Amino acid sequence: MDQEHWGRLQAFMRERGFSRFFVSQPENFAWLTGGSNTLGLGEGVAYLEVGEEIVLHTTRIEHPRMLEEEVPGLPVRVHPWYAFPPPGSPNDLEHDLTPLRLRLSQEAQATFRRLGREAAHAVGEVVRAARPGWRERELAGALSEALWALGIRPLLLLVAGEERVFRHRHPLPKDYPLGRAFMAVVCAERRGLVANLTRMAHLGDREVEARYRKVLRVEGVALDHSRPGTSLGAVLASLQAAYGAVGFPGAWEEHHQGGVGGYRPREAVATPGHPLRLQPGMALAWNPSLPGAKVEDTFLLTEGGLENLTEDPLWPGVEVGGRRRPDLWRAGG
């Protein structure tokens, strides 16, 4: 149980005069407990009733597993699998708890550091081992195996080889060869937290290399503007200007540019004029892209600046604006 996060929920309840509150959304369940209340398909199999005590509601099917592996020690009310009642009111379907989740507790930050480090290492090892003759699905399978071996769930896996990397921003893996340039995009989840990262490799595709240099410049501007007190809208405005400076003024409209992460791949996406102010303890993941190139890591915003949670020291790096950023991997080298 994350006591800091629980304290925020209790303050929320006091402010609204709620003596009881039901928590069923998977991101909120994980934010409070570090456990999962789904079977991986979004199907809720448990929820919390928060009052004078915290009671877990679940079915006879899930009861032993939930108490042994997800939320040990909680009082539980077991329902028949054929008559599992929906959560009562007020609940987190009626009241959005996203604002409470945006600043991560010290415990969650430590969990995120480990997740980011391990996910980046696993993805890096697999991408460095890939060869131009691999199929996109083969790379996706190897990534999934490496992540699951560490207890990390690949919430999203995108892979594009040379034939598709210029065409699609969200390339679900298909039966195409990787070829001379390929991209792997991963949203890696453990204990509810989601680390986002993208790695790219090439073997002689000069256009991919040229465009990758441009997205690094765009990302560098966003990272420079990611400071406490800056609004998401202001960071997006800096990105818009940066795309123009590299010769692609309208590219920001072709894909979202990222925003605040945490218990979803993006808790809040930067949109024009978005008023949310960045604060220490927030996770940030910017993902500027052009056809053929994308860069992405997950950062923790601290009082002293940005901490890269998904940095891989074994991955080749390039300095951009005083920061070490992932370079292109020379595939097959």
Side-chain angles (χ1 to χ4, degrees), residues 103 107 257 279 284 286 302 324:
R103 288 185 300 106
E107 179 181 337
Q257 301 301 303
Q279 300 178 54
L284 300 173
W286 303 111
T302 72
R324 185 182 187 276

Side-chain angles (χ1 to χ4, degrees), residues 190-260:
R190 187 166 61 195
R191 295 187 63 188
L193 291 162
V194 182
N196 307 282
L197 66 150
T198 296
R199 296 293 184 260
M200 293 200 65
H202 88 121
L203 181 63
D205 191 313
R206 296 304 178 191
E207 185 61 24
V208 166
E209 183 163 18
R211 293 194 175 196
Y212 190 75
R213 301 299 165 209
K214 293 180 186 296
V215 296
L216 283 173
R217 287 170 57 189
V218 174
E219 184 206 41
V221 172
L223 296 176
D224 285 343
H225 284 78
S226 297
R227 298 185 294 267
T230 304
S231 70
L232 277 183
V235 180
L236 181 63
S238 75
L239 278 159
Q240 291 170 314
Y243 276 111
V246 299
F248 290 85
W252 70 274
E253 296 198 63
E254 297 171 4
H255 190 273
H256 79 77
Q257 301 301 303
V260 179

Side-chain angles (χ1 to χ4, degrees), residues 140-219:
L143 288 166
S144 181
E145 181 180 7
L147 290 167
W148 273 117
L150 297 169
I152 299 171
R153 180 166 66 111
L155 199 63
L156 176 70
L157 271 179
L158 303 176
V159 176
E162 181 181 6
E163 294 186 45
R164 299 199 304 142
V165 73
F166 282 91
R167 299 208 308 271
H168 304 302
R169 292 297 211 277
H170 289 160
L172 293 173
K174 302 293 182 183
D175 191 28
Y176 291 94
L178 296 180
R180 296 180 306 157
F182 56 92
M183 173 178 72
V185 181
V186 175
C187 296
E189 181 270 333
R190 187 166 61 195
R191 295 187 63 188
L193 291 162
V194 182
N196 307 282
L197 66 150
T198 296
R199 296 293 184 260
M200 293 200 65
H202 88 121
L203 181 63
D205 191 313
R206 296 304 178 191
E207 185 61 24
V208 166
E209 183 163 18
R211 293 194 175 196
Y212 190 75
R213 301 299 165 209
K214 293 180 186 296
V215 296
L216 283 173
R217 287 170 57 189
V218 174
E219 184 206 41

Side-chain angles (χ1 to χ4, degrees), residues 111-130:
T111 299
F112 218 159
R113 287 187 180 96
R114 182 182 174 192
L115 166 63
R117 181 174 64 249
E118 293 184 2
H121 179 73
V123 171
E125 280 202 325
V126 172
V127 173
R128 288 191 295 272

